[in-house]
Structures are given as structure tokens and as C-alpha cells.
Amino acid sequence: MGQRLGVNVDHVATLRQARRTTYPDPVTAAAMAELAGAQQITIHLREDRRHIQDRDLRILRETVQTLLNLEMAATAEMVKIAYEHKPDVVTLVPERREELTTEGGLEVAGQREHIAKIIKNLKDGEIAVSLFIDPDLDQVRASHKVNADRIELHTGRYCEARNEKERARELARIVDAAKAAAKLGMGVAAGHGLNYDNVHAIARITEIDELNIGHAIVARAVLVGFDRAVREMLDLMRNPG
């Protein structure tokens, strides 16, 4: 098996929180994603709890049969929550309240001491740690120096490229960062903005062992159902052309 698909169910919770109802339930969506073949469930517990709630994390930790990846800010509050629920992997991400979605990678090189401390605390709790970073060689090296187990490369610029030249340039940055991280012994994931039209090139990068995809799958699921949406993405990943 090649890359692992981590299905991010945040936007199922977004739909629920729009009306403060009990449905649709991201816990149900996670179970359906796993039944369809997803090998990981990813959630982002934000400081403002705009979509995923503490209740979701608690139940998902009890019900997820594959891997549970908790995206979170590098704060003491979130470390405490991670200790309480023990996800399989924590992915440290930058977080600003006013952003619609995570706008860029974590600035590891500029805050190595703080990130290293957070990573040590999480590892002391036997939790693997990934850092969500831009495809930048300095950030890759800094991630290795602070003892991260994994990195996740932010694919936003590649996905938002306005022409083929720009897309090729951004893809090359991702390839170079993935190769550098793999040589340093870190696991490599990728995510942000990936959809059914642009996933092929990322799926062909052998150093990347995991893709985390949420919005595109949830959006497609609204129209064709969760099972089919997940299976179609898995098919594209396994047959990238």
C-alpha cells in the first residue's frame, strides 16, 4: 500500500455548527470514511472551537479504528488536551482566530526553543509529533533539529497556482522538501487544498507517505455520499497516472 489517506472531518462539524444542531455528526462521518478505506482520521481542535468540539475528540478517540491525527496549536492548553485523549499523532499547526483556514506553515526555524519544548512534552506522553510546514528546506531542517517525528507539507500554493509554470515551480518545492525530510529520517505527509483535480502530482511523490484531505472530500460527499467520495479519492491516489 502506498500513501495513507487521512480524511479530515472538520467540515462535517462546520455544517453542524452552522445551526448548532447535533447533525451531521463528524463521528459518523469518520466511521464511514474508515469503512470506505481511509487509513486515518484527522481533526483540528481549534482554540475558538469553530467546528470540532471537545466532545468530538473524546468520542473519536474511543471509536476510530485506524489512526487519529489531532491538529492543534502549539500551546500548553492543547498539550494538556492531547495528554488527556492520547491521539496517535499530533500535528502542530499555526493558528489565528481570524483566518478562514490555516493560511501557511508553522514557523519552526524562528521559534525552535518553544516548538522543541512542546514536542518534548508530547513525546514524554508517548505521542508522535508532526509539524505542518511550508515546503521550505530551512523549515525542514529546523523540524529535524527540534526532534519532530514527521512533517506535513503545506500544499496550498501548489493548489492555488494560477498557471502551469507557477504550479510546476511549487510542485518542485514540495518534491525537494519531501526528499530532504525523508533523507533526515522523518515521515512526510502533505495536505491543504488538495482535491480530485490536483491530487495526482502529489500522489506520485514517493517520499510522501500520507495525504490529509478534508474540504474536497466533504464537499463531494454532500453530492455523492461519504463512501463514494472517499473511495474516489483513494482511487486517484492509487492510480495517479
Side-chain angles (χ1 to χ4, degrees):
M1 180 63 194
Q3 292 167 333
R4 175 170 59 245
L5 173 60
V7 175
N8 185 315
V9 295
D10 288 356
H11 291 300
V12 177
T14 298
L15 199 54
R16 176 191 63 190
Q17 297 307 115
R19 289 291 182 92
R20 297 290 193 273
T21 57
T22 58
Y23 62 87
D25 193 337
V27 174
T28 304
M32 295 182 72
E34 287 187 315
L35 286 170
Q39 299 97 341
Q40 179 170 282
I41 299 301
T42 297
I43 57 172
H44 184 176
L45 185 67
R46 282 182 171 268
E47 183 185 20
D48 61 10
R49 306 301 196 269
R50 70 176 68 166
H51 38 57
I52 293 294
Q53 305 298 303
D54 295 72
R55 165 264 184 201
D56 302 326
L57 171 58
R58 185 181 73 252
I59 298 175
L60 284 167
R61 177 62 290 179
E62 294 176 359
T63 57
V64 166
Q65 301 295 304
T66 55
L67 298 173
L68 180 62
N69 173 24
L70 174 62
E71 297 180 341
M72 66 181 214
T75 65
E77 178 208 359
M78 287 298 166
V79 170
K80 183 179 178 182
I81 289 171
Y83 257 77
E84 180 182 352
H85 297 288
K86 293 293 178 72
D88 298 291
V89 183
V90 155
T91 300
L92 298 179
V93 300
E95 188 174 313
R96 295 189 300 122
R97 279 181 179 266
E98 63 269 26
E99 67 188 1
L100 278 176
T101 183
T102 307
E103 294 173 350
L106 193 66
E107 175 50 57
V108 183
Q111 50 177 343
R112 273 173 48 184
E113 188 174 334
H114 171 66
I115 299 297
K117 182 179 178 182
I118 295 287
I119 289 175
K120 184 181 185 304
N121 288 342
L122 289 165
K123 286 193 165 190
D124 286 347
E126 299 183 341
I127 301 169
V129 183
S130 179
L131 302 181
F132 185 68
I133 62 171
D134 289 325
D136 177 273
L137 295 180
D138 288 339
Q139 297 297 339
V140 172
R141 286 189 283 265
S143 298
H144 181 250
K145 287 177 180 176
V146 296
N147 207 27
D149 299 295
R150 306 178 52 77
I151 60 166
E152 179 171 348
L153 296 172
H154 186 291
T155 53
R157 287 186 178 179
Y158 158 77
C159 295
E160 294 161 10
R162 292 166 294 183
N163 54 59
E164 284 304 313
K165 183 178 179 181
E166 185 178 331
R167 177 164 291 193
R169 183 173 66 246
E170 294 303 327
L171 181 62
R173 293 179 68 223
I174 293 168
V175 170
D176 289 346
K179 288 182 181 296
K183 284 182 180 178
L184 290 169
M186 291 184 289
V188 186
H192 196 85
L194 295 175
N195 60 39
Y196 297 83
D197 297 318
N198 62 29
V199 74
H200 303 85
I202 305 300
R204 284 194 290 264
I205 303 172
T206 55
E207 289 80 8
I208 294 177
D209 60 29
E210 171 188 304
L211 300 183
N212 285 298
I213 305 175
H215 185 264
I217 290 176
V218 173
R220 198 173 191 90
V222 170
L223 303 177
V224 305
F226 225 88
D227 181 89
R228 179 173 164 184
V230 172
R231 291 182 190 277
E232 287 180 351
M233 184 59 75
L234 282 167
D235 285 344
L236 290 173
M237 289 169 58
R238 291 165 180 164
N239 302 286

